């Protein structure tokens, strides 16, 4: 579960970085953004990596395909993406949806655990206060009755 959570954090960090770069490159209006920018994806996905062929969420072959498809598309007039790249993009979108759903479940589970922990702490504080009151009552009874009360400790 920790590995899944770590991967989801990495994914959401990557997604946020990619979306920020889209806004910087194309403006705040998402309608002006392309459906997929392979150069930006590769730039964000390989930043900070020692192996620049590794792009987040893509195999090396797909990263090479993206590079070659982009170099061809800039020379020619068409900027279409090959069907294998389109399938990979759809697969990435599905993977993103799955991770988003898992993140939602984990977030809800974390919130429940946090609430449960807070309830347990509150209950523990109440029990401690009740114990202290009971202890004080026993000590007061011993003092007022003139007899020696047994030590409850």
């Amino acid at each position: 579960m920790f590995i899944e959570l770590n991967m989801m954090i990495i994914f959401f960090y990557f997604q946020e970085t990619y979306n920020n770069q889209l806004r910087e490159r194309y403006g705040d209006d998402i309608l002006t953004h392309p459906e997929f920018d392979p150069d930006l994806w590769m730039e964000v996905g390989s930043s900070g990596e020692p192996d620049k062929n590794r792009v987040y969420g893509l195999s090396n072959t797909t990263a090479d395909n993206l590079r070659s498809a982009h170099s061809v598309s800039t020379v020619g007039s068409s900027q279409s993406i090959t069907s294998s790249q389109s399938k990979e993009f759809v697969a990435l979108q599905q993977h993103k949806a799955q991770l988003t759903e898992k993140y939602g479940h984990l977030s809800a589970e974390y919130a429940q655990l946090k609430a449960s922990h807070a309830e347990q702490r509150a209950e523990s504080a109440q029990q401690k206060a009740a114990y202290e009151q009971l202890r004080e009552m026993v000590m007061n009874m011993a003092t007022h009755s003139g007899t020696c009360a047994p030590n409850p400790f």
Side-chain angles (χ1 to χ4, degrees):
M1 184 156 125
F2 175 75
I3 293 172
E4 285 181 357
L5 182 61
N6 194 26
M7 288 181 65
M8 288 180 8
I9 290 169
I10 292 168
F11 171 76
F12 285 112
Y13 173 77
F14 171 81
Q15 181 184 18
E16 184 65 26
T17 303
Y18 178 75
N19 288 336
N20 286 340
Q21 292 294 324
L22 277 173
R23 282 190 291 278
E24 282 183 27
R25 188 172 286 184
Y26 299 104
D28 288 333
D29 183 6
I30 60 171
L31 296 176
T32 62
H33 297 183
E35 185 174 329
F36 179 63
D37 185 334
D39 279 340
L40 187 59
W41 185 278
M42 288 174 29
E43 181 182 316
V44 171
S46 63
S47 62
E49 291 288 327
D51 179 6
K52 292 295 184 178
N53 284 332
R54 289 192 60 203
V55 178
Y56 179 82
L58 302 175
S59 66
N60 286 346
T61 304
T62 306
D64 292 339
N65 287 344
L66 281 173
R67 284 188 187 93
S68 63
H70 180 69
S71 63
V72 169
S73 70
T74 55
V75 172
S77 60
S78 171
Q79 291 200 4
S80 64
I81 296 176
T82 67
S83 71
S84 67
Q85 291 165 339
S86 180
K87 289 177 187 175
E88 184 78 22
F89 183 68
V90 169
L92 285 171
Q93 286 179 321
Q94 290 172 342
H95 184 64
K96 173 188 169 190
Q98 290 170 348
L99 288 175
T100 301
E101 184 178 345
K102 283 182 183 179
Y103 178 76
H105 290 302
L106 288 173
S107 293
E109 187 176 329
Y110 175 73
Q112 288 174 344
L113 287 172
K114 192 174 178 182
S116 174
H117 181 68
E119 288 174 11
Q120 288 174 352
R121 288 179 61 198
E123 185 178 319
S124 177
Q126 288 174 346
Q127 288 174 349
K128 185 177 179 180
Y131 170 78
E132 289 298 325
Q133 283 180 335
L134 184 60
R135 181 177 176 268
E136 191 174 314
M137 286 173 44
V138 168
M139 297 306 278
N140 284 338
M141 286 174 40
T143 304
H144 293 329
S145 69
T147 61
C148 196
N151 187 353
F153 309 104

